[in-house]
Amino acid sequence: MAADQERSTKPRFITFEGGEGVGKSTQVRRLADRLAARGIAVVRTREPGGTPKAEAVRSFILQGKPESWGVGAEAVLFAAARLDHVNELIAPSLAAGKWVICDRFADSTRAYQGLTGGVDDKLIDALEHLALNGHTPDLTIILDMDPDIAFERVRQRALDDGMPALADRFEKEDLSFHRRLRDNFLAIAVANPGRCVVLSADTDEDTLAEAVWAALEDHFSDLPAERLAE
Ligand code: TYD
């Protein structure tokens, strides 16, 4: 892009949160593409993961290995991964003027391990303080959906993809866990009204992408207009 077309907006850190099967990853990708189409440099990332060290922690955790260690240790592991992710990718990207869009972040530890898993608030606060090192998101979009509907979506997607074994993934976990998780994400939104926006994910992908964009317009007054084709 020619220098006179470069868009100078303040770099922003945006996170997406919510339960399983709510369509976070799709919306993260769509938002990153939409910002890029406006000439904004964007880094798209996810948690757990985002850097080689954090991805190593991700595979350790998602293989179920720390289950026997207990939920407190799990919270510490997520925070250790986050510390590296913030230091090695998120903070440097923001410092370089890029926007960062992250699929899950610290609110997931608070919702899953803290409020739903029972890990003490004080430990969650301390881990958050350590891992974020001042890098609180500018905006957190919480995608909200009834877990019964999310369950059906995950099942259907797995069947459509020819992966019937994955269709049962949700059934292994207690649906009441997912209901509590949903309530806890909503409680996080209530506790952080300036940062969090709750959007109903029980809609089609395009409508939700428009709602996400409207949330950005509400929060940030300096969003550039779409670039016109040359
Ligand atoms: P993933 O396959 O990325 O699921 P999703 O598409 O729902 O994000 O797996 C991430 C899992 O890790 C998901 O079940 C949420 C959980 N998680 C925590 O329990 N605590 C955390 O701090 C984070 C970041 C994720």
Side-chain angles (χ1 to χ4, degrees):
M1 195 190 310
D4 62 350
Q5 286 180 303
E6 278 177 4
R7 315 295 177 177
S8 63
T9 54
K10 196 172 156 240
R12 302 298 191 337
F13 178 27
I14 301 172
T15 56
F16 279 72
E17 299 278 7
E20 328 240 332
V22 297
K24 277 187 296 17
S25 310
T26 305
Q27 293 301 325
V28 164
R29 180 178 42 73
R30 289 187 60 147
L31 177 60
D33 289 350
R34 196 159 181 176
L35 289 166
R38 280 163 171 74
I40 292 176
V42 187
V43 172
R44 176 155 62 94
T45 186
R46 67 166 181 185
E47 288 210 348
T51 60
K53 284 181 193 137
E55 289 290 335
V57 176
R58 176 189 179 90
S59 60
F60 180 75
I61 295 175
L62 295 187
Q63 281 165 24
K65 288 186 179 153
E67 247 165 44
S68 61
W69 298 14
V71 70
E74 211 173 71
V76 172
L77 285 169
F78 279 115
R82 183 162 304 124
L83 181 62
D84 190 66
H85 191 204
V86 168
N87 287 341
E88 298 300 321
L89 182 70
I90 296 173
S93 300
L94 293 166
K98 297 175 184 160
W99 288 48
V100 177
I101 320 276
C102 191
D103 187 342
R104 295 197 181 282
F105 194 60
D107 294 319
S108 279
T109 305
R110 188 171 295 279
Y112 280 81
Q113 284 69 47
L115 297 166
T116 314
V119 174
D120 192 284
D121 267 5
K122 290 197 182 70
L123 175 60
I124 298 291
D125 288 346
L127 291 173
E128 197 168 300
H129 184 72
L130 173 78
L132 268 60
N133 197 16
H135 293 285
T136 303
D138 296 296
L139 172 64
T140 295
I141 294 180
I142 296 178
L143 299 186
D144 176 60
M145 198 193 287
D146 181 335
D148 293 271
I149 298 171
F151 164 82
E152 189 44 44
R153 274 197 183 185
V154 169
R155 208 181 67 83
Q156 198 51 54
R157 198 184 314 143
L159 293 175
D160 291 348
D161 293 348
M163 294 190 281
L166 279 186
D168 293 336
R169 187 172 73 112
F170 248 84
E171 278 172 318
K172 289 202 187 117
E173 296 176 48
D174 185 1
L175 206 56
S176 77
F177 170 88
H178 292 284
R179 294 201 182 101
R180 280 187 287 130
L181 187 66
R182 178 194 197 190
D183 289 345
N184 289 330
F185 272 119
L186 295 176
I188 288 171
V190 168
N192 299 274
R195 171 172 67 86
C196 296
V197 172
V198 177
L199 299 178
S200 169
D202 186 12
T203 182
D204 64 273
E205 198 185 302
D206 289 349
T207 306
L208 186 52
E210 283 311 311
V212 168
W213 190 254
L216 258 77
E217 286 181 328
D218 247 25
H219 261 71
F220 310 130
S221 56
D222 58 348
L223 285 178
E226 198 152 17
R227 279 158 53 198
L228 297 173
E230 321 247 303

